[in-house]
Amino acid sequence: MDLDRAWDIHPQVSVRPEPFGALLYHFGTRKLSFLKDRTLLAVVQSLGDAPSARAACTAAGIADSDLARYSTALGTLERSSMVVERTP
């Protein structure tokens, strides 16, 4: 995933926060994803308001040393169409 691009939650995805993180359900593909990290949930929820995924990660307090791990997680969400690139 390109952290320097703008992303958002897919319009057909519902996010349900849970004590462990969150459940994401895509009504179009009927896929279910589990976020097991509340910080990742904060990033995903702020994608639509952030100028880039990197900015969303920074706002959530993710250190540069942890960016690769979160980039991988966001890439997985991208491949499953839970998050999509925002077009200008």
Side-chain angles (χ1 to χ4, degrees):
M1 168 181 261
D2 186 346
L3 291 179
D4 295 315
R5 294 184 183 256
W7 298 88
D8 203 351
I9 299 169
H10 190 286
Q12 290 186 306
V13 170
S14 173
V15 179
R16 189 172 100 188
E18 295 287 344
F20 60 82
L23 296 172
L24 277 65
Y25 181 75
H26 194 300
F27 287 93
T29 63
R30 300 180 66 190
K31 289 183 182 178
L32 181 65
S33 292
F34 295 88
L35 302 184
K36 299 176 186 174
D37 182 328
R38 295 200 57 81
T39 303
L40 180 58
L41 172 60
V43 171
V44 169
Q45 288 179 316
S46 67
L47 285 173
D49 297 323
S52 68
R54 185 179 306 278
C57 289
T58 300
I62 296 170
D64 288 343
S65 59
D66 292 327
L67 271 178
R69 183 169 64 111
Y70 284 90
S71 178
T72 299
L74 290 168
T76 299
L77 293 174
E78 175 195 4
R79 285 187 298 283
S80 62
S81 299
M82 295 294 179
V83 298
V84 291
E85 188 172 357
R86 226 172 38 227
T87 55

